[in-house]
Amino acid sequence: MNLFNTSLMANYAQAKPGPINFLPAITSLESSNKDILPHRNLTHTLSLPWRPSTYYRVASDFPTMGSYCTRAQRVGECSMLPFVSNRTTLFTKYTHDDWYKSSYASFQESNTSRHNSEKLRVDTSRLIQEKYQQIRKTQVDTTQNLGERVNDLAFWKSEIINELDEMIGETNALTDIRRRLERTLSETEAPLQVTRECLFHREKRMGVDLVHDDVERELLMELDTILCCQERMKLHLDKAIAQLASSRGAQHELEKDLSDKQMAYRIDDKCHHLRNTSEGIGFFRGVENIDATISVPESWAKFTDDNILRSQNERAASARMREETETLLTVTTNEMWNQFNKVNWFFTKRIAEIGEAKSKIQVHLGKILQEIFQTEMTIESIKKAIKEKSAFLKVAHTRLDERTRRPNIELCRDMAQLRLVNEVYEVHDTIQTLQQRLREAEDSLQSLVHTKATLEHDLAVKANTLYIDQDKCMSMRRSFPSTLRLVGFC
């Protein structure tokens, strides 16, 4: 019967397991195939040559099953379904030679391990001594380097402190000169206001006195002088403020550098005095892998040297600024004082001229008033004469009017008639002449009155100009600051 190509159905005492890729060990299997082939008894030994290779897939891993494994592999090439044998026989895994070889290998491994351990102990003891001496020497060198670092820090600290003291002194001196310059600049506001007030008041002059005279030219020059001085002061003040900022910046860098070096000095000095028996030492794992350094000794020394050099340069610039400011205060004070005195001199001269012109106007005004009085008297006499001549004219007119009532032939052009007519013309001509003279006298009076008004206006103009220059302007110019105040000491 060909069992390799026949599909066999096995009966299991339990539920059928899922498909597997290997067979269990022979010792754990129990055959249940006796109902499959009833005509054939499968109780033969396991050495029978016809057994399928499926029974040896596990046993083939042991050396004692080598002869069967080879055959089983050849048989396994067929497409045969596996089945479990009813045999429960145990198979050996190792031979007697394997047992001896295993023991010998264990002894050899023990000897080798013991020899290696002894060698390791000797090498370790020597390594401990060598590493101790090496680490001790390294620690001594590190301590020496820390000491040198502490000395370097102490040196640079002293240099920074000296430079910082000098910088603070120079900064204070420049601050004082800046305050003097600010006081001087504020003191020039009063003279500037006075000059502007003088120009403003002189704009209130009237008529011909509103002239661009020497006083006004000098006042404008004084205004330009004060403004120019203020501009130079403001320029130097801005420079002084900028220099103070630069000086304070250099001072801040020195202070920051000093603070850093003081802290570094304390840290390095503490590290320099640390020993293996010191308190506070401990493990900080991974700290050696942290590289927080940002400089090398050369750049570290150059940084402080640059800070000191910058401070020295700023101090030199500050000293030059102080000298320039002192010179500026002296020059501007002299310029403003000279122009102030010059304006006052021209004011005095102009006041004298106006006073003299005012006196002359008053004299002419007196004469005009006298002439006006006499002209008015003449006008009154002319009017009186005209009034008297009117009575003569009335009589003549009345006579002629009455004679026109004569009857008939009595209306005769006699000598009396002719004389009355001539009298009327004569009186009328006289009145016309007197009226003409009256008009001339009145015109003359009007001219005198106009001249009087002009003189009075000129007198008022001169009085107003004199009041402005003498009472307004000169009274304000008495409050010009003193020299000490202009140089900022008060």
Side-chain angles (χ1 to χ4, degrees), residues 144 442 452 464:
Q144 183 179 358
E442 288 177 348
K452 170 180 169 290
N464 178 67

Side-chain angles (χ1 to χ4, degrees), residues 256-302:
K256 183 180 179 182
D257 196 4
L258 179 61
S259 176
D260 293 343
K261 281 183 170 46
Q262 288 175 344
M263 181 177 293
Y265 181 84
R266 289 193 298 269
I267 294 173
D268 286 347
D269 186 63
K270 177 182 178 181
C271 294
H272 179 251
H273 290 90
L274 281 179
R275 298 296 182 266
N276 295 337
T277 58
S278 300
E279 296 181 357
I281 61 176
F283 293 105
F284 300 91
R285 297 189 182 276
V287 69
E288 69 278 1
N289 298 324
I290 301 175
D291 187 8
T293 59
I294 60 174
S295 65
V296 295
E298 292 78 10
S299 62
W300 173 78
K302 186 177 182 301

Side-chain angles (χ1 to χ4, degrees), residues 422-489:
N422 290 333
E423 182 182 4
V424 169
Y425 283 112
E426 183 178 355
V427 173
H428 184 72
D429 290 340
T430 301
I431 290 174
Q432 290 294 327
T433 302
L434 290 175
Q435 287 180 346
Q436 179 65 29
R437 186 56 57 89
L438 178 61
R439 285 192 295 270
E440 292 177 358
E442 288 177 348
D443 291 340
S444 177
L445 181 62
Q446 291 296 325
S447 177
L448 289 174
V449 170
H450 182 267
T451 303
K452 170 180 169 290
T454 302
L455 290 176
E456 288 177 346
H457 175 73
D458 290 343
L459 186 62
V461 168
K462 295 296 184 292
N464 178 67
T465 303
L466 192 63
Y467 171 75
I468 290 173
D469 289 348
Q470 188 172 14
D471 296 337
K472 287 283 189 181
C473 297
M474 289 304 293
S475 63
M476 289 188 300
R477 297 183 67 82
R478 295 190 185 97
S479 61
F480 198 82
S482 63
T483 304
L484 291 178
R485 293 177 63 185
L486 284 177
V487 295
F489 284 110

Side-chain angles (χ1 to χ4, degrees), residues 214-446:
D214 294 334
V215 176
E216 187 170 354
R217 282 191 293 270
E218 294 302 325
L219 281 172
L220 292 174
M221 188 177 294
E222 183 180 32
L223 181 65
D224 293 338
T225 300
I226 296 175
L227 290 176
C228 181
C229 292
Q230 284 185 344
E231 288 296 326
R232 285 185 288 172
M233 289 179 187
K234 290 178 180 178
L235 180 61
H236 276 72
L237 183 60
D238 293 338
K239 291 181 178 179
I241 293 174
Q243 183 59 49
L244 279 174
S246 300
S247 298
R248 288 196 177 101
Q251 178 181 342
H252 174 72
E253 291 297 329
L254 288 176
E255 290 173 348
K256 183 180 179 182
D257 196 4
L258 179 61
S259 176
D260 293 343
K261 281 183 170 46
Q262 288 175 344
M263 181 177 293
Y265 181 84
R266 289 193 298 269
I267 294 173
D268 286 347
D269 186 63
K270 177 182 178 181
C271 294
H272 179 251
H273 290 90
L274 281 179
R275 298 296 182 266
N276 295 337
T277 58
S278 300
E279 296 181 357
I281 61 176
F283 293 105
F284 300 91
R285 297 189 182 276
V287 69
E288 69 278 1
N289 298 324
I290 301 175
D291 187 8
T293 59
I294 60 174
S295 65
V296 295
E298 292 78 10
S299 62
W300 173 78
K302 186 177 182 301
F303 177 78
T304 304
D305 185 68
D306 290 343
N307 287 337
I308 294 176
L309 182 61
R310 177 189 173 186
S311 176
Q312 291 174 350
N313 293 334
E314 295 298 338
R315 282 196 297 111
S318 177
R320 290 193 298 270
M321 177 59 64
R322 287 192 294 108
E323 293 177 359
E324 293 176 0
T325 305
E326 288 283 358
T327 303
L328 175 68
L329 291 176
T330 303
V331 171
T332 53
T333 300
N334 292 333
E335 289 179 358
M336 287 188 290
W337 260 109
N338 293 335
Q339 187 62 32
F340 172 77
N341 294 328
K342 190 174 181 181
V343 171
N344 287 350
W345 185 82
F346 278 102
F347 256 119
T348 304
K349 179 181 177 182
R350 183 60 178 170
I351 289 171
E353 292 176 353
I354 295 173
E356 182 180 359
K358 181 182 176 183
S359 299
K360 291 180 180 180
I361 291 174
Q362 288 175 342
V363 172
H364 283 278
L365 183 59
K367 293 179 180 180
I368 290 295
L369 290 175
Q370 182 66 29
E371 186 65 27
I372 288 174
F373 176 74
Q374 292 178 357
T375 303
E376 288 177 348
M377 295 299 294
T378 301
I379 291 173
E380 290 295 329
S381 63
I382 292 174
K383 289 180 178 180
K384 185 178 179 180
I386 292 174
K387 187 177 181 179
E388 291 176 352
K389 300 300 183 291
S390 297
F392 290 99
L393 184 60
K394 289 179 182 180
V395 172
H397 281 181
T398 303
R399 286 176 178 176
L400 286 173
D401 182 69
E402 288 295 331
R403 285 177 64 85
T404 58
R405 295 182 179 88
R406 289 178 299 168
N408 299 322
I409 196 66
E410 294 298 327
L411 292 172
C412 177
R413 184 185 295 272
D414 52 5
M415 195 65 184
Q417 182 68 25
L418 294 175
R419 189 59 183 167
L420 284 173
V421 172
N422 290 333
E423 182 182 4
V424 169
Y425 283 112
E426 183 178 355
V427 173
H428 184 72
D429 290 340
T430 301
I431 290 174
Q432 290 294 327
T433 302
L434 290 175
Q435 287 180 346
Q436 179 65 29
R437 186 56 57 89
L438 178 61
R439 285 192 295 270
E440 292 177 358
E442 288 177 348
D443 291 340
S444 177
L445 181 62
Q446 291 296 325

